[in-house]
């Protein structure tokens, strides 16, 4: 119940939390929907105000008039930029006329105007005066030419508005005011200030980004150098170990080829199984089928069959291998040669043991041979594996060590830079404080000396007044000299105090600088010690890794070598014991005689089978091929056992003779 209650509470809390999250998301979206257009409106207002304020400053037209003229220009097919260009050109034209330019004055005269009429008028009023005169020109071509001469190229765009005359322009301006399109100077200045504030903010943000970049540049530079070092070392390692790279490729092809060979072997074994099943179900062809199976097995287990199967499986590998591939094939050829020798020796021993009737010893020879060859292959594969995997592990360990060393170097650089920066700040602060103390002391001394002079002057005046009041006349020059001498002595004492204080400030500064330098040196020494300890640790870890891999390799190879030595000794002992048995049945003519006798028995067996099948006598049970075989061999169990043993010896001797034939004619193992 408690667990169920907790689960229900957890489910409710999850549902409640999801609901709160959904409400918060919707509120955030609603707030963003309110804020975003307002921010956009503020940005638009700032841009418009900035534009109006700057254009007003460039043209000399008030913001209020400029905003309404902009509406008039817009309604006439022009815009503020066209009007600004036209106003600038108009002002140049008026200036030229006022300066006495003949062409400008002639153009004004043709319109019934003079340069004096434009004096004291605002630029928008000057433009309206020209608009009245242009509107009075009936010839459109002349009107356009005159507008072009006064207002420049912008006059062509402004001509529809100018043709309205002053009243028409003012009517459009009044329309703009009634629509609330007029902008005040205060709004324009506010928009201008806001726009400049945004530009300043953007510049500050850009500076912040640059500052961050400047702070990260040393670290990123170090990382780039480290990456370059790693890639260079990796390339150098690959260049220094081309054999390993080629060997990796060869290993891949070798594995693929071995797989294909195993597929072929599996299919062959499958077909052998099918043949055995057929033999079990069809008794009439027992002898022929056994002969076929025997031929297949002998072919697979003979040195010739092994070599042919191996070369068939590695045909693809031979096509791709170059350079070291030839050496690899030579190595494989040597291994298969050794395998052929071992197989020949083993089959001779097995045949001798079987011919002598010692099936257990034959099995022991076979099992010890298989164990020995397995341990040989395992030892070679372990050598290859440890050369490859161990090399890769060492490379990874070295690369990681280089990474850690680079990081330690970077940290040492950062630590030293930090210590130097702190030292520099302390030096600057100490220097500033000394300067401040020196200036304060100098100012205090200067004021003190001025006060001494003031006191001396006051004393001279007081004594002079007292002497005059006493009827003794003015103070003597000697007394004035004495007072001034006392003042000079006082000022000298002040100077000595000031100089002593300045010297003490200098001594204090030197002490602070020395102490700060010692602190910085100690910090750098500590960082260097930690750096050296870290490098020593990295080196020890790398060496320990290398030693561990070497020990692991040596231990595994030694263990496998021990197993191989044990298996080899057992195989050699079994072969020696098998060869010592009296298993030779004689020369080939005796063997042929025995085989002929065996074939005669097979003929008798077939006759007996035919006679039995032709008989009408009913028998109980199911026909058994092995029973028929026993009937042909003799009546008693002892006779059947003797016959079977003799046939086994004959077959084994035949296998030995075939192996010897292959060995002599195909030179296996030589």
């Amino acid at each position: 119940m408690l667990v169920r209650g907790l689960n229900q509470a957890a489910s409710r809390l999850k549902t409640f939390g999801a609901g709160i999250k959904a409400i918060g998301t919707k509120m955030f979206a609603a707030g963003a929907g309110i804020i975003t257009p307002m921010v956009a409106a503020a940005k638009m207002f700032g841009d418009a105000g900035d534009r109006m304020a700057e254009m007003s400053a460039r043209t000399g037209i008030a913001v209020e008039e400029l905003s309404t003229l902009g509406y008039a220009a817009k309604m006439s097919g022009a815009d503020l930029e066209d009007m600004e260009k036209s106003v600038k050109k108009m002002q140049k034209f008026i200036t030229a006329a006022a300066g006495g330019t003949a062409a400008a004055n002639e153009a004004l005269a043709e319109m019934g105007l003079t340069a004096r009429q434009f004096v004291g008028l605002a630029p928008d009023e000057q433009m309206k005066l020209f608009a009245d005169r242009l509107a009075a020109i009936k010839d459109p071509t002349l009107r356009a030419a005159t507008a072009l001469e006064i207002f420049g190229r912008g006059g062509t765009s402004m001509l529809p508005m100018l043709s309205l005359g002053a009243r028409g322009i003012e009517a459009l301006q009044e329309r703009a005011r009634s629509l609330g399109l007029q902008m005040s100077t205060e709004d324009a200045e506010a928009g201008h200030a806001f726009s400049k504030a945004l530009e300043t903010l953007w510049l500050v943000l850009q500076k912040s980004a640059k500052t961050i970049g400047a702070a990260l540049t040393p670290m990123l530079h170090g990382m780039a150098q480290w990456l370059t070092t790693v890639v260079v070392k990796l390339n150098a390692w690959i260049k220094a170990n081309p054999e390993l790279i080629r060997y990796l490729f060869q290993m891949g092809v070798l594995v693929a080829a071995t797989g294909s060979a195993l597929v072929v072997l599996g299919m062959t074994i499958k077909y052998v199984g099918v043949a055995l099943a057929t033999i079990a179900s069809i008794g009439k062809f027992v002898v022929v089928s056994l002969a076929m199976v025997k031929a297949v097995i002998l072919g697979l287990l003979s040195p010739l069959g092994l070599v042919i199967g191996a070369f068939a499986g590695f045909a693809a590998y031979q096509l791709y291998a170059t350079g070291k591939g030839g050496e690899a094939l030579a190595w494989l050829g040597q291994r298969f040669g050794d395998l052929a020798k071992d197989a020949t020796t083993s089959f001779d021993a097995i045949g001798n043991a079987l011919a002598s009737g010692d099936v257990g010893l034959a099995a022991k020879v076979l099992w010890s041979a298989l164990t020995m060859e397995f341990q040989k292959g395992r030892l070679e594969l372990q050598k290859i594996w440890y050369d490859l995997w161990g090399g890769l592990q060492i490379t990874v360990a070295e690369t990681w060590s280089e990474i850690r060393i680079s990081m330690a170097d970077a940290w040492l650089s950062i630590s030293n830079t930090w210590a130097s920066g702190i030292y520099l700040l302390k030096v600057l602060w100490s220097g500033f404080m000394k300067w401040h103390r020196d200036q304060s002391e100098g100012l205090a001394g200067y004021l003190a000396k001025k006060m001494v002079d003031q006191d001396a002057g006051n004393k001279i005046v007081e004594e002079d007044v007292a002497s005059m009041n006493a009827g003794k006349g003015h103070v003597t020059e000697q007394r004035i000299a004495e007072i001034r001498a006392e003042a000079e002595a006082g000022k000298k004492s002040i100077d000595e105090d000031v100089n002593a204080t300045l010297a003490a400030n200098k001594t204090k500064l030197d002490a602070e600088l020395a102490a700060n330098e010692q602190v910085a040196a100690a910090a750098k020494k500590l960082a260097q010690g930690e750096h050296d300890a870290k490098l020593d640790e990295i080196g020890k870890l790398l060496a320990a890794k290398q030693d561990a891999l070497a020990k692991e390799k040596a231990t595994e190879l030694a263990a496998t070598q021990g197993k191989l030595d044990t298996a080899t000794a057992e195989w050699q002992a079994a072969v020696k014991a098998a060869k010592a048995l009296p298993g030779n049945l004689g020369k080939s003519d005796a063997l042929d005689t025995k085989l002929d006798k065996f074939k005669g028995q097979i003929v008798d067996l077939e006759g007996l089978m035919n006679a039995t099948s032709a008989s009408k006598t009913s028998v109980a049970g199911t026909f058994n091929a092995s029973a028929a075989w026993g009937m042909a061999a003799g009546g008693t169990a002892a006779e059947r056992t003797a016959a079977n043993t003799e046939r086994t010896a004959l077959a084994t001797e035949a296998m030995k003779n075939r192996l010897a034939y292959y060995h002599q004619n195909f030179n296996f193992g030589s």
Side-chain angles (χ1 to χ4, degrees), residues 248-427:
L248 285 173
F249 176 75
Q250 294 170 7
M251 281 296 296
V253 178
L254 179 62
V255 170
T258 304
S260 64
L262 290 176
V263 170
V264 174
L265 180 60
M267 293 176 63
T268 304
I269 294 173
K270 178 180 178 181
Y271 293 145
V272 171
V274 173
L276 290 175
T278 304
I279 292 169
S281 60
I282 305 176
K284 187 176 181 179
F285 302 99
V286 172
V287 177
V288 178
S289 299
L290 285 174
M292 292 176 59
V293 172
K294 183 179 72 173
V296 172
I297 294 176
L298 288 176
L300 287 174
L301 298 179
S302 67
L304 178 62
L306 291 173
V307 174
I308 292 175
F311 277 96
F314 298 121
Y317 174 73
Q318 185 177 10
L319 292 175
Y320 288 100
T322 57
K324 286 296 180 180
E327 298 180 7
L329 286 178
W331 178 82
L332 287 175
Q334 183 179 359
R335 298 285 81 77
F336 278 110
D338 295 340
L339 179 61
K341 290 180 181 179
D342 295 342
T344 302
T345 303
S346 298
F347 278 116
D348 287 342
I350 291 171
N352 205 44
L354 292 176
S356 300
D358 194 343
V359 178
L361 182 59
K364 185 176 182 180
V365 172
L366 176 61
W367 179 252
S368 61
L370 292 175
T371 303
M372 179 182 66
E373 296 302 330
F374 172 77
Q375 295 298 338
K376 283 183 179 180
R378 182 183 178 187
L379 181 62
E380 294 297 332
L381 289 176
Q382 281 184 331
K383 290 179 181 179
I384 294 172
W385 172 254
Y386 279 108
D387 288 342
L388 174 62
W389 180 241
L392 290 177
Q393 285 185 302
I394 291 298
T395 301
V396 171
E398 290 177 349
T399 303
W400 177 240
S401 297
E402 291 294 336
I403 293 173
R404 296 187 64 191
I405 290 172
S406 300
M407 294 174 65
D409 292 341
W411 181 251
L412 176 62
S413 177
I414 292 172
S415 300
N416 290 336
T417 302
W418 177 260
S420 299
I422 295 298
Y423 171 71
L424 178 60
L425 291 176
K426 288 183 177 180
V427 168

Side-chain angles (χ1 to χ4, degrees), residues 87-104:
V87 169
K88 289 180 179 179
K89 179 64 176 176
M90 177 192 71
Q91 290 172 339
K92 290 182 180 180
F93 178 81
I94 294 173
T95 302
T101 303

Side-chain angles (χ1 to χ4, degrees), residues 231 366 463 634:
V231 173
L366 176 61
E463 289 187 4

Side-chain angles (χ1 to χ4, degrees), residues 24-36:
T25 302
K26 293 177 180 178
M27 290 181 66
F28 176 79
I34 295 172
I35 293 173
T36 301

Side-chain angles (χ1 to χ4, degrees), residues 5-256:
L6 290 175
N7 290 332
Q8 291 177 354
S11 177
R12 291 176 181 176
L13 286 175
K14 289 181 180 178
T15 304
F16 179 71
I20 295 297
K21 179 182 177 182
I23 293 173
T25 302
K26 293 177 180 178
M27 290 181 66
F28 176 79
I34 295 172
I35 293 173
T36 301
M38 289 185 175
V39 173
K43 181 66 169 61
M44 186 181 299
F45 168 76
D47 292 341
D50 181 61
R51 180 184 178 191
M52 284 293 177
E54 292 183 353
M55 188 175 294
S56 175
R58 290 193 298 265
T59 59
I61 302 175
V63 172
E64 290 79 2
E65 295 297 323
L66 191 60
S67 60
T68 55
L69 285 174
Y71 172 78
K74 189 72 174 177
M75 294 297 100
S76 303
D79 53 29
L80 277 174
E81 284 73 17
D82 294 331
M83 188 176 68
E84 181 181 4
K85 294 176 183 178
S86 300
V87 169
K88 289 180 179 179
K89 179 64 176 176
M90 177 192 71
Q91 290 172 339
K92 290 182 180 180
F93 178 81
I94 294 173
T95 302
T101 303
N105 284 307
E106 289 178 2
L108 288 176
E110 291 178 358
M111 290 186 288
L113 297 173
T114 62
R116 289 185 178 182
Q117 291 178 267
F118 294 93
V119 176
L121 296 179
D124 57 314
E125 294 175 345
Q126 294 173 348
M127 184 178 64
K128 292 176 182 178
L129 181 56
F130 277 121
D132 280 338
R133 295 298 189 270
L134 287 173
I137 300 175
K138 303 301 181 181
D139 186 355
T141 303
L142 180 59
R143 186 190 309 127
T146 305
L148 182 63
E149 183 178 3
I150 298 172
F151 296 99
R153 294 181 180 178
T156 304
S157 301
M158 294 288 293
L159 190 57
M161 185 183 78
L162 295 173
S163 299
L164 297 175
R167 290 185 179 181
I169 296 174
E170 289 174 356
L172 290 174
Q173 287 183 287
E174 186 61 31
R175 175 65 175 168
R177 295 186 189 96
S178 65
L179 294 174
L181 300 177
Q182 180 176 347
M183 178 179 286
S184 65
T185 302
E186 291 78 8
D187 289 343
E189 291 177 352
H192 176 71
F194 177 67
S195 179
K196 296 307 174 186
L198 290 179
E199 292 179 3
T200 303
L201 174 62
W202 177 241
L203 292 175
V204 171
L205 291 176
Q206 287 180 324
K207 178 59 180 177
S208 299
K210 293 177 182 178
T211 303
I212 294 172
L216 293 177
T217 296
M219 183 182 68
L220 295 178
H221 181 70
M223 291 178 63
Q225 289 181 332
W226 166 74
L227 287 174
T228 303
T229 302
V230 170
V231 173
V232 169
K233 290 188 177 181
L234 180 61
N235 291 336
W237 180 83
I238 294 175
K239 185 176 181 181
N241 298 275
E243 306 294 335
L244 181 58
I245 303 302
R246 289 193 290 269
Y247 193 67
L248 285 173
F249 176 75
Q250 294 170 7
M251 281 296 296
V253 178
L254 179 62
V255 170

